[in-house]
Amino acid sequence: MKKSIGAQTILYPTPVLIVGVYDKKNQPNLMTVAWGGICNSQPPSVAISLREATYTYGCLTAHQGFTINIPSVDQVKEADYVGMSSGRSVNKFDELKLTPVKSTLVNAPYIQEFPMVLECKVVHTFKLGLHTQFVGEILDIKVDESGLDSQGRPDIERIRPFCYAPGNQAYYAIGPCLGQAFSIGRRDTIQF
C-alpha cells in the first residue's frame, strides 16, 4: 500500500545542471540547477527554473543566453560547491580552477573541463510562483570526443552524469543499461 507524503518537489531522477552566464560586468558565473530538463522537440529546447533572488537570475535576464554544463561523477564536489556559493561574492571559475570558454552562439560561458554542454538562447520566460522558468532553444551541443560512441553520439556511460535525489538531498550515479528503448517493451517481449 502506498502512503501519501504530500505535495513536494520530488521527482526521480532529477538532473544536475550547471548553468553558465555572464554577469553585468561580463564575468563568468555558474549556478547549479536541479529544476530543469528537455521541454520541446522541435525546436530542441530545455527549461530551467530559478528564483528571482539568485544572482544568476539577473545575469540570465540581462544576456538572454545560457549554457548547461553536464558534470561527470568525477565533478560532483565542484557541482555541489557551485550550488552552495553565490556569484555575488565569489568567482566560482577561479575558486574551482575551471576554465571558462566563451560560447560563439550565445552570450554565455561554458566549462571546458565538463564533458558536455548545451548552448541555449532564451525564447520564453514565465513566472510560476517562487520560480521563473526560462525556456532556452538549444542551438548546439558540444561533447568531449571521449564522451562519444563510435557513431558520434553522446554516450551516457562515457560522460557519466549523475542525478540529485531531492527526497534525501544526495547525489547518485546512473546505473547500468536496462535495455534498448522502443525495443525492450515490444509486445512480443512482454508476457500478458
Side-chain angles (χ1 to χ4, degrees), residues 105-189:
L105 301 174
V106 295
N107 190 18
Y110 64 86
I111 305 168
Q112 178 65 42
E113 292 80 5
F114 283 19
M116 184 171 167
V117 61
L118 289 71
E119 296 169 287
C120 308
K121 74 172 179 177
V122 175
V123 294
H124 188 66
T125 61
F126 56 97
K127 190 149 179 70
L128 299 168
L130 182 61
H131 286 71
T132 298
Q133 188 167 73
F134 293 84
V135 176
E137 180 180 345
I138 302 168
L139 301 180
D140 193 22
I141 297 175
K142 292 177 172 50
V143 182
D144 287 347
E145 288 186 31
S146 62
L148 299 173
D149 68 14
S150 61
Q151 297 178 345
R153 298 175 302 206
D155 184 332
I156 195 168
E157 291 179 347
R158 293 175 186 206
I159 294 169
R160 300 171 42 229
F162 55 94
C163 60
Y164 173 65
N168 61 348
Q169 298 183 335
Y171 300 107
Y172 289 87
I174 294 172
C177 178
L178 303 175
Q180 288 304 120
F182 309 107
S183 176
I184 195 171
R186 286 190 334 252
R187 187 169 190 80
D188 61 337
T189 65

Side-chain angles (χ1 to χ4, degrees), residues 21-29 52 54-64 87-88 107 109:
V21 293
Y22 285 116
D23 68 11
K24 293 177 182 174
K25 297 177 184 174
N26 278 332
Q27 292 299 307
N29 180 53
E52 192 171 343
T54 66
Y55 187 63
T56 299
Y57 180 96
C59 302
L60 186 50
T61 56
H63 293 289
Q64 296 294 298
R88 283 187 182 95
N107 190 18

